[in-house]
Amino acid sequence: MKLSQIRYFIAIAELQHFGRAADLLRIAQPALSRQMKLLEDEIGVTLFERLPRGVRLTPAGEVFLTQLKPVEARIERAVAAARAAASGAEGQLSLGLIEVSAWSGIVPQTIQEFRQRFAGVELNLLAMSSGEQMAALRTGKLDASIIYNPQPEPGLTLAPLALHRLMLAVPAGDPMADRPTVRMADLAGAPLIGFRRASSPQMYDDVTAALTAAGHRGGFHSEMTNESDILALVNSGLGMAIVNENQRLRPPPAVRFIPVPDLDVRLRLCLVWPEGAPSPTRDRFIDLMLARRDPAAA
């Protein structure tokens, strides 16, 4: 049984006339009659009683129509859903991100616009470390990721989005806390808390090189895996830290953030996704995000 035969049968049943159904369906009447004969032969019952003017359903045809109407509606919904999925308007999107990147700027703006324009898409947002995101991209567990300073890797596409500065986080009781700015030379000998290099290799190397050039020889007395843990130590008065400027948007109670004008290190925020099979839903998100990116980040 073909989908076209179901459509033909329902049209004839509702119009009670082969000729009018043929006109509606834009099919030659002999071809329509032949399809109905094939359908009757396949299911083994007579569906129509031929009349001098038109047709009417047999009892078997009445039952057949009653059963087919819900099927037709489901087919129409399935077709609409398939078309929406092909256009990216429906489906699922699993997006990894660094939490601090979503507090302002391009990330929350794009997510909000995507939700408004593609309400039929189930958007799953997963806050993960850079390393976790890269591993999830390789295994197909994420459709795309928003990561700072990702390293190029075969099979993955990287698109720079924005550049974020770094700031100094100091305990509220530190003598530096009330200063409007701090110079790199002021940090020589200061107790600094940093990242473990594996968590963000490029940021670690760039910050370490900048500190060394400014005369800081002490390294980091503590190294943590994420900025939330780093700021917890700063909040406890255990040292200072150089962190993403977005952290000032959610400051711990006993931490002050101070610009460091001569710290020439930037965090490059990138959108990363796997190459290969197309994903209409993911591609719609990529289009929206790239339309907002800062050209200076390239």
Side-chain angles (χ1 to χ4, degrees):
M1 187 184 304
K2 300 177 181 178
L3 291 177
S4 58
Q5 291 175 318
I6 293 175
R7 291 177 53 242
Y8 297 163
F9 168 76
I10 292 174
I12 298 166
E14 291 180 339
L15 295 173
Q16 297 185 346
H17 199 282
F18 270 77
R20 288 195 291 269
D23 291 341
L24 176 68
L25 297 166
R26 298 185 178 181
I27 182 175
Q29 184 172 334
L32 183 60
S33 298
R34 183 167 58 253
Q35 288 297 319
M36 288 303 95
K37 182 63 169 63
L38 290 172
L39 180 61
E40 289 177 325
D41 290 345
E42 181 176 348
I43 63 179
V45 299
T46 300
L47 298 172
F48 298 103
E49 180 182 349
R50 275 66 176 177
L51 302 175
R53 294 184 179 180
V55 296
R56 66 184 173 199
L57 291 171
T58 64
E62 293 279 4
V63 171
F64 193 54
L65 177 64
T66 301
Q67 296 296 320
L68 279 184
K69 290 294 287 183
V71 174
E72 182 191 33
R74 291 184 64 182
I75 291 172
E76 290 176 354
R77 290 196 298 270
V79 169
R83 288 173 175 165
S87 69
E90 288 191 4
Q92 293 185 336
L93 180 66
S94 294
L95 180 66
L97 51 78
I98 301 296
E99 182 185 6
V100 69
S101 71
W103 292 352
S104 70
I106 184 173
V107 176
Q109 291 168 2
T110 303
I111 290 172
Q112 290 167 13
E113 182 180 3
F114 185 81
R115 286 192 181 279
Q116 292 169 358
R117 296 182 58 177
F118 301 100
V121 174
E122 181 182 341
L123 181 59
N124 300 312
L125 301 175
L126 304 168
M128 305 167 67
S129 70
S130 297
E132 290 172 334
Q133 289 189 60
M134 295 296 282
L137 286 169
R138 297 185 200 107
T139 59
K141 293 180 180 179
L142 287 176
D143 297 305
S145 285
I146 299 170
I147 305 176
Y148 285 108
N149 299 335
Q151 298 301 307
E153 188 172 309
L156 296 177
T157 299
L158 279 64
L161 301 174
L163 293 174
H164 290 164
R165 300 182 64 91
L166 297 173
M167 299 186 78
L168 181 68
V170 302
D174 189 274
M176 289 189 187
D178 295 326
R179 293 175 58 173
T181 62
V182 170
R183 308 294 294 180
M184 288 295 292
D186 297 332
L187 302 181
L192 292 177
I193 304 163
F195 271 107
R196 292 176 184 169
R197 187 178 184 278
S199 299
S200 185
Q202 185 172 334
M203 179 181 174
Y204 183 97
D205 292 345
D206 290 347
V207 170
T208 299
L211 287 169
T212 300
H216 190 280
R217 299 288 185 267
F220 301 114
H221 72 76
S222 298
E223 294 185 356
M224 314 302 288
T225 58
N226 59 69
E227 285 187 335
S228 294
D229 292 343
I230 290 172
L231 289 174
L233 296 186
V234 177
N235 192 68
S236 299
L238 299 181
M240 308 175 185
I242 294 172
V243 297
N244 189 318
E245 64 178 342
N246 276 4
Q247 294 289 355
R248 74 189 190 283
L249 302 174
R250 194 179 69 172
V255 175
R256 301 294 179 265
F257 292 91
I258 308 172
V260 187
D262 62 338
L263 175 56
D264 190 23
V265 175
R266 301 291 184 272
L267 299 176
R268 178 173 280 104
L269 186 65
C270 295
L271 181 63
V272 186
W273 66 92
E275 299 172 358
S279 169
T281 301
R282 181 196 64 202
D283 292 346
R284 298 294 79 74
F285 183 86
I286 291 172
D287 291 344
L288 291 179
M289 179 152 275
L290 296 189
R292 293 178 177 271
R293 65 176 166 176
D294 181 356

